[in-house]
Each structure stands twice: as structure tokens, then as C-alpha cells.
Amino acid sequence: MLTDEYWMAKALLLAEQGAAKGEVPVGAILVADDKVLGQGYNCPISSNDPTAHAEVMAVRDAATVLGNYRLPETTLYVTLEPCTMCAGALVHARVTRVVYGATEPKAGVVESNPCVFEGEHLNHKVAYQGGVLAAECSAMLSTFFKKRREEKKGVARG
């Protein structure tokens, strides 16, 4: 059985693909029995779709591959703590577990803010674990935003 770190490293590669396209570098990969079912990276800017977060793209990909909108017995690896929209999508898809890297203090809803997955009203519970390759995930995001700020300064001076 492959490790959480192995799969998070794969999600980081997907995040790099998004960064190369100017998107916030977040990658996600959905796995069952050590097989990739779906994958994606953030692409709301390039797709003009505010729902095109990495998690949603991976879930859409897997649902298409499996021909089913339910994805039980799966684990989603994502480089950044999920937001409310993505957490809701994981509940509706019946994903069993989510593993994430970096926390997201502003929009994260697993540990940074009240945990959506622990809502008593939910008809499905998603298990979760954070901090897997957190330093690498955080560094990728920090580098991306630092570069973006530097580019904006260069434009303002020019």
C-alpha cells in the first residue's frame, strides 16, 4: 500500500501544472486501492469557473471515469485545506477520507475554521488528516504569491 506522502507528492505535481498556467497552485488526486480515479488542479481563472477548485476537478474526473456521482471507499489528497464548497462536494460524493497538506487560515474549513465535516446534520462523515507534506505545500503557495507580488510591483513601477 502506497503512503499518504506518496500521493501528496503526486498532488504537488498537479499543483505545479496549475501554477504554470497562472492558477493558484493547488493539486488534488482521488485514489482507491492505490489506483488513481481522478485528478485535477485549480483552474477557475483559465476556465472562467468559480467552482473549478482542484478538489472539484478531481471529483468530476473520477465521477466521469467511474460513471457514478458517488465515490465511496476513496481518499482525496489535496495540497491545501479544503474550503466550504469543496468540503460540501466531498460529502455529497461520499468520499471516505481527505488528506491535505497546508492549512488555509482564511477559507479552510477542516481545522482553520469550524470543521464542516463534523456537522451533526450531515448524512455522510468524511474522515480527515492534515499536515501531510505541509512544508512543501506551503512553500509552493508562498513562492507563487511572492512571485505574483513582485510582478505587480514591477508593473506599478514601469
Side-chain angles (χ1 to χ4, degrees), residues 76-95:
L76 181 86
Y77 295 89
V78 60
T79 58
L80 185 64
E81 179 182 5
C83 70
T84 306
M85 174 186 71
C86 293
L90 299 175
V91 170
H92 286 289
R94 305 296 193 266
V95 169

Side-chain angles (χ1 to χ4, degrees), residues 21-102:
K21 294 183 176 185
E23 301 280 357
V24 174
V26 179
I29 190 163
L30 191 76
V31 177
D33 298 321
D34 284 337
K35 292 185 179 96
V36 175
L37 300 178
Q39 57 188 12
Y41 52 82
N42 268 11
C43 58
I45 298 167
S46 59
S47 66
N48 294 312
D49 179 356
T51 69
H53 289 195
E55 300 95 322
V56 171
M57 301 309 292
V59 165
R60 287 177 182 167
D61 190 29
T64 299
V65 166
L66 296 175
N68 194 341
Y69 71 108
R70 300 282 196 226
L71 305 168
E73 306 304 319
T74 59
T75 298
L76 181 86
Y77 295 89
V78 60
T79 58
L80 185 64
E81 179 182 5
C83 70
T84 306
M85 174 186 71
C86 293
L90 299 175
V91 170
H92 286 289
R94 305 296 193 266
V95 169
T96 303
R97 179 174 174 244
V98 63
V99 177
Y100 61 91

